Amino acid sequence: MKQFFVLFAFLFTFSQIHSQENLPTDYLSKEFHQERREAFRNLMPANSAAVVFSYPERVFSKDINYNYHANPDMYYLTGYKEPDAVLLLFKDPQGAEKYTEVLFVRERNANREMWTGRRLGIEGAKSKLGFKTVYNGKDFKDFVVDFKKFDTLIYDKIPTDLEINNSSDNLYSLLQTFKNKAGIIKENETSLNLFTNITSSLREIKTPEELVMMRKTVKLSCIAHNEVMKAIGPDMSENEADGIHAYVHRHYGAEGEGYPPIVGAGANGCILHYGENNATKIDNQLLLMDVGSEYHGYSADVTRTIPANGKFTEEQKAIYQLVYDAQEEVFKICKEGTPFQDVNNKAREVIAAGLIKLGIITDVRDVRTYYPHSCSHFLGLDVHDKGNYMGPLKENMIITVEPGIYIPANSKCDKKWWNIGVRIEDDILIKKDSYENLSIDSPRKWQEIEALAKQKSTFNDMKFPKI
Ligand code: GLY
Ligand code: MN
Ligand code: MN
């Protein structure tokens, strides 16, 4: 009777904590993650094992952590979004049970879950993620696996900055257990390279399920950009503009942003990874906004540069048009077969010629002074996604096309150009003979931006008490 009561209390407590209503219904399916694991196993060499760890938790302030962000590779292969987990994949079936995959997860714990949130646990990993062989992290130590018997082990870089922690089920102890079992003193280059090569070759090509996510994250980011274009005025602060993006992202169900937003006015727009976003007024300057949402793990990466007062000056317009032209020329070669580097070269070539024409540089080699970054990167679960940056473009890759020109004050050119920073960034789906601009919903032409700026935004009517 007592046992029955304890069991009842246990089940009651967990069902209370575990029940959660009104969750999104469009997460990637367990079949997607299962299929990705199969694709990974197909690329593993004979007699090999792969080991994938969750990302560490990181401190935000004393005893408060940042909201946890899953390791994109772990998420891609499992759908598991919690810390302190390890996934094992085997090329060949193992043991009497003939398993090819094992997942170690955080143990359910009513007290911890009341403090830090729900845990999927063993049963959840089986029912929701489709794993058959799942254990609690603390059981990894005693799990019988002879990593030394494999010809090849495949794993990612192992973090070395974790706090030593002797409890048996946190990431630190999972990593120690793996290193002990596998006899790893120093990471093996072949293991690291294989992990990168396999995950890159899978993740660089988006599946139909991923394309649904990518279209959504990019589309809603465009809506956010458009809303700021309408709402903006010289009195708005950089952080308020950032806040409008954040609000719109969340309105459409995004978890947040795929990277720290860059919202920089005038001189701040000339700092490539500006992140303070703390100018209290945009004034009559250009505002460069590089902001993209993260929707169910997938990041958009969209940049628009707009005049706060709704009208570009002649100089701003000239620089803007040159960046626009560079984008247009790059779009023309966005199709299967184009070497990745051609995209970067094309953008640089157009910008160099344009800067010479405007009298801002006299030698093409000086283009890097005002355009110091490359034009494109893969986009997906990571904003700078995995993929082969040396190879040709392939169907269903998604890349950014993001030329820019940044002319800080005191640059060696006429001062009429100073403090103009322009980047235009779009997210491009590569097709067999062409491309699709996924971020088409946000205007790029300066005429269209000026026209949109004349419209009113919902945010213009928001009134807050004065303090
Ligand atoms: N938002 C980062 C980048 O454009 O690469
Ligand atoms: Mn980018
Ligand atoms: Mn960007």
Side-chain angles (χ1 to χ4, degrees), residues 259 290 301 303 402 425:
Y259 54 94
D290 183 344
D301 190 6
T303 307
E402 51 173 310
E425 177 170 25

Side-chain angles (χ1 to χ4, degrees), residues 379-421:
L379 182 66
L381 286 172
D382 285 296
V383 63
H384 295 163
D385 213 30
K386 289 189 161 183
N388 180 3
Y389 283 82
M390 305 314 284
L393 296 179
K394 294 183 197 153
E395 191 178 17
N396 292 329
M397 285 178 163
I398 297 179
I399 63 165
T400 62
V401 173
E402 51 173 310
I405 297 174
Y406 317 90
I407 313 180
N410 302 313
S411 295
K412 287 190 198 125
C413 61
D414 192 318
K415 70 179 192 207
K416 69 181 181 177
W417 304 110
W418 289 1
N419 289 332
I420 296 179

